[in-house]
Amino acid sequence: MSTTPVSPPQRALVLGGGGSAGNAWLIGVIAGLSEGGLDVTEADLVIGTSAGASPTDLLAAILDAPAPQRIDPVRPDGRAASWMNHLERTNAIIAASADLADMRRRAGAHAIELAADAGDSARVRWRETVAARLPSREWPMHAVHITAVDADTGDPVVLDRDGGIDLVDAVAASCAGGPAYRIGHRSYIDGGYRRSSENADLAAGCERVLVLSPLGGRTRHPAQWRSDLGAQIEELEAGGSAVEKVLPDGDSLSAFGDNMMSPATRAPTARAGHAQGRRVAERLAGFWRT
């Protein structure tokens, strides 16, 4: 029996991670691009976080939400204590690691300990938080690849609609930057531990790749690990892909502030991202529509 060959995806949209602020910035940029006449949600492949409703609706939901009250303890330097503790903890893991694989194993082991200390109620609350922010609890029909890392083994994982995992669980696992998130008998941690917050290398083979990176393509890893976005773009271009990127502009960086995990950043960063998306839509139109 002959089979029809499956053509590789032509256009890939890569959505980098970046906490609560980064998520809002991405939504703002995509909404701004759409208003500028460029609907990047029509990509053949989306890598990163799921998007199942119109960007305009998602943006409106952020802007209409009541301003959250600060509940995070603040250090003497004015920075949120939990955010700084997270940075200090992950910096220590990176410094102790020999390479990416070693870092993933160390991060996974530590996250499993955090999950045991937090208890299952923390997992339930996290799932509820993720579910509340998703526009739909059903996997989109187009290809969406959500990155995570198996906390038990340190192995990279790509979750999709064919893997038998609920969309809410997949996103909760992919965004688990603190305690590991359990699905069945396995535990997972943030997909940013795989290689970077973008994981743009997963778009290899696509004709055109658009990367939206809230963290600006930066990495805290040693240069020899080649985790930065620049190294991934070099690999994609060497494989024949054309790549464009959108990084936060000055207004967006100002809106991020010092704590990208804070929900208080969502409205200002969404507005800044929206304005930036409208400005760059014309520049990207030829690349995306070719």
Side-chain angles (χ1 to χ4, degrees):
M1 178 183 296
S2 62
T3 58
T4 302
V6 178
S7 300
Q10 290 190 335
R11 298 181 299 181
L13 174 64
V14 177
L15 306 177
S20 191
N23 170 265
W25 179 80
L26 290 170
I27 290 171
V29 169
I30 294 172
L33 290 172
S34 179
E35 290 185 19
L38 194 64
D39 184 3
V40 296
T41 65
E42 295 178 342
D44 302 298
L45 171 64
V46 177
I47 296 170
T49 307
S50 172
S54 76
T56 302
D57 291 341
L58 293 174
L59 177 63
I62 293 175
L63 300 182
D64 291 343
Q69 296 181 342
R70 178 185 286 275
I71 58 175
D72 203 19
V74 178
R75 300 192 340 173
D77 62 6
R79 298 187 177 188
S82 65
W83 172 238
M84 294 307 296
N85 289 341
H86 172 75
L87 288 177
E88 291 163 359
R89 173 173 58 85
T90 52
N91 280 339
I93 290 173
I94 293 168
S97 301
D99 52 29
L100 276 170
D102 187 30
M103 182 201 67
R104 291 193 296 261
R105 288 189 292 269
R106 290 174 183 269
H110 185 66
I112 289 174
E113 293 178 2
L114 291 178
D117 292 339
D120 197 56
S121 61
R123 176 192 178 278
V124 173
R125 290 194 302 272
W126 177 235
R127 192 181 194 281
E128 291 173 348
T129 297
V130 170
R133 289 184 179 177
L134 286 177
S136 170
R137 299 191 183 188
E138 301 297 326
W139 283 93
M141 293 307 297
H142 60 274
V144 174
H145 291 175
I146 298 177
T147 60
V149 170
D150 188 312
D152 298 286
T153 65
D155 294 333
V157 178
V158 175
L159 307 174
D160 59 24
R161 64 179 295 113
D162 298 323
I165 291 179
D166 182 85
L167 175 62
V168 176
D169 285 326
V171 176
S174 179
C175 300
Y181 183 80
R182 179 174 46 79
I183 304 176
H185 298 295
R186 308 301 300 178
S187 294
Y188 301 89
I189 58 174
D190 195 310
Y193 286 109
R194 175 189 170 272
R195 178 173 180 180
S196 71
S197 64
E198 300 90 12
N199 292 305
D201 57 297
L202 290 175
C206 294
E207 182 179 298
R208 282 161 285 160
V209 182
L210 175 61
V211 183
L212 309 184
S213 174
L215 296 183
R218 301 184 305 275
T219 180
R220 290 178 287 150
H221 300 164
Q224 62 267 28
W225 292 6
R226 292 183 57 80
S227 298
D228 61 288
L229 179 58
Q232 296 172 63
I233 290 177
E234 286 180 13
E235 295 170 9
L236 288 170
E237 291 178 337
S241 299
V243 184
E244 285 283 357
K245 62 185 178 183
V246 177
L247 311 180
D249 59 12
D251 290 341
S252 297
L253 292 174
S254 296
F256 287 167
D258 292 327
N259 180 10
M260 293 183 69
M261 301 300 291
S262 172
T265 63
R266 289 181 63 77
T269 54
R271 291 191 187 97
H274 177 252
Q276 184 177 358
R278 291 191 58 145
R279 285 195 297 272
V280 302
E282 184 177 356
R283 172 175 68 83
L284 295 173
F287 164 80
W288 192 251
R289 293 174 178 157
T290 299

